[in-house]
Amino acid sequence: MKSELTCFIVKYLLLTLYFNLLPILINMNDIIRFLHILAFFPLAFLIAKLSGAGGMKSYGVVFVSGWKRNVGYGFTIGSITWTVLFLFYILFNKLHFQGVKFEGTSLVTLLIIIFGFGTGSLINDMITRGLVFYHFKDKISVISLFFISIILYSVDDIWYAGLSLQNCIFSVILGLSLTYALYKTNSIWFTTGIHFGLNLIYGSFYGVSGSLGTGIFNVRETTPYVGWLGWLSSVIAMVMFLIVMYVFNKNNKIVITDLSKFSSFGSR
């Protein structure tokens, strides 16, 4: 178990520092950042192979029949719940909606948002969930498994959103849905669908830079706004977790990956 933990820590640090720290240390233009993101995948594959793991499967990237369906289910849940969140922001005057951008750059902005948040969601899920499950599922308790995954996700999320009580609680609650989906399906696709869906809606308002109004919608923040609205994202995240649990209990069309396909669960 000690060697397993050491292997996990080394792989986690290599991947997360490459993806999150390198862009801070090196000034990247759009082309370099694009190549930096794409290079993550062969790097992750190489690290997995050098450590004796099962390639991309060791991050939960398991292509089985129906994986696209799982992405679709997850995306639907994530995008709808985050649409509701932003509708509440507009309804309660946290955000003032001024329309949709129709200038020529809007399509380019949308494509950048789709690529940035699509790959970003997948990479984050590979590092903070797929890698954790590969090394520790069936070797530690479920509670410990969830705890490790959610803490790592929260640290990653706070890296971008900043350290505050609200951000910490929000990240933990959101991490429940993302971790639970991988736990139930044994692959990354439902989780990444949720993650991409909510990030796409967020990016439509905040763009890939996280600055309000840099997406495809013209919006501005109304200040001051009612204080409790700061907690609304955590409430919606909890509602989404309940929806995810309900869907898994009621929908028998969700694809559950055979553990033998995810080549470490149980045996390696």
Side-chain angles (χ1 to χ4, degrees):
M1 186 63 183
K2 185 177 180 179
S3 60
E4 188 83 20
L5 179 60
T6 302
C7 183
F8 166 77
I9 291 173
V10 170
K11 290 160 72 173
Y12 171 78
L13 289 176
L14 286 173
L15 292 172
T16 197
L17 291 177
Y18 169 83
F19 188 67
N20 293 318
L21 184 61
L22 200 59
I24 296 175
L25 299 178
I26 301 174
N27 187 24
M28 294 187 177
N29 58 32
D30 292 340
I31 295 176
I32 295 175
R33 178 60 171 159
F34 174 76
L35 295 175
H36 168 257
I37 292 172
L38 290 184
F40 173 87
F41 297 100
L43 175 64
F45 180 82
L46 178 61
I47 290 173
K49 284 297 184 181
L50 290 176
S51 66
M56 298 304 284
K57 291 181 180 181
S58 64
Y59 304 102
V61 183
V62 186
F63 293 98
V64 295
S65 178
W67 69 270
K68 294 179 183 178
R69 189 190 316 157
N70 280 11
V71 173
Y73 284 137
F75 180 84
T76 300
I77 293 172
S79 59
I80 289 177
T81 50
W82 247 239
T83 296
V84 170
L85 172 63
F86 277 88
L87 286 176
F88 274 124
Y89 282 161
I90 294 169
L91 179 64
F92 289 104
N93 294 317
K94 183 179 189 292
L95 298 178
H96 179 63
F97 182 75
Q98 299 174 304
V100 181
K101 298 177 183 178
F102 290 107
E103 57 265 31
T105 58
S106 295
L107 178 58
V108 175
T109 300
L110 179 60
L111 292 176
I112 291 173
I113 291 169
I114 292 173
F115 173 79
F117 282 117
T119 54
S121 299
L122 175 59
I123 289 170
N124 177 268
D125 294 331
M126 289 170 60
I127 297 174
T128 64
R129 274 170 284 279
L131 188 63
V132 173
F133 275 61
Y134 175 80
H135 279 279
F136 301 119
K137 188 173 183 181
D138 296 335
K139 296 170 185 173
I140 60 176
S141 68
V142 173
I143 293 176
S144 298
L145 187 70
F146 270 61
F147 178 80
I148 294 171
S149 183
I150 291 172
I151 290 298
L152 292 180
Y153 170 70
S154 299
V155 170
D156 189 89
D157 203 34
I158 291 166
W159 180 285
Y160 295 101
L163 179 61
S164 70
L165 179 62
Q166 284 185 347
N167 287 342
C168 290
I169 292 175
F170 167 75
S171 297
V172 168
I173 296 174
L174 180 56
L176 278 173
S177 293
L178 301 175
T179 306
Y180 181 79
L182 198 151
Y183 177 75
K184 295 293 288 186
T185 60
N186 300 319
S187 67
I188 209 167
W189 303 116
F190 201 109
T191 295
T192 297
I194 295 173
H195 208 168
F196 178 45
L198 62 90
N199 275 338
L200 182 63
I201 301 304
Y202 171 86
S204 298
F205 289 86
Y206 286 87
V208 292
S209 67
S211 300
L212 188 62
T214 59
I216 61 173
F217 298 133
N218 281 314
V219 286
R220 62 179 175 83
E221 194 169 78
T222 304
T223 54
Y225 55 83
V226 181
W228 62 266
L229 282 172
W231 294 97
L232 186 58
S233 58
S234 297
V235 174
I236 295 297
M238 178 55 71
V239 171
M240 185 173 72
F241 177 54
L242 297 176
I243 292 172
V244 169
M245 288 197 300
Y246 176 83
V247 168
F248 274 103
N249 287 330
K250 296 296 182 180
N251 191 337
N252 58 9
K253 294 183 179 180
I254 296 173
V255 179
I256 309 299
T257 303
D258 182 354
L259 290 180
S260 64
K261 303 290 185 181
F262 196 169
S263 66
S264 85
F265 288 2
S267 64
R268 268 174 61 191

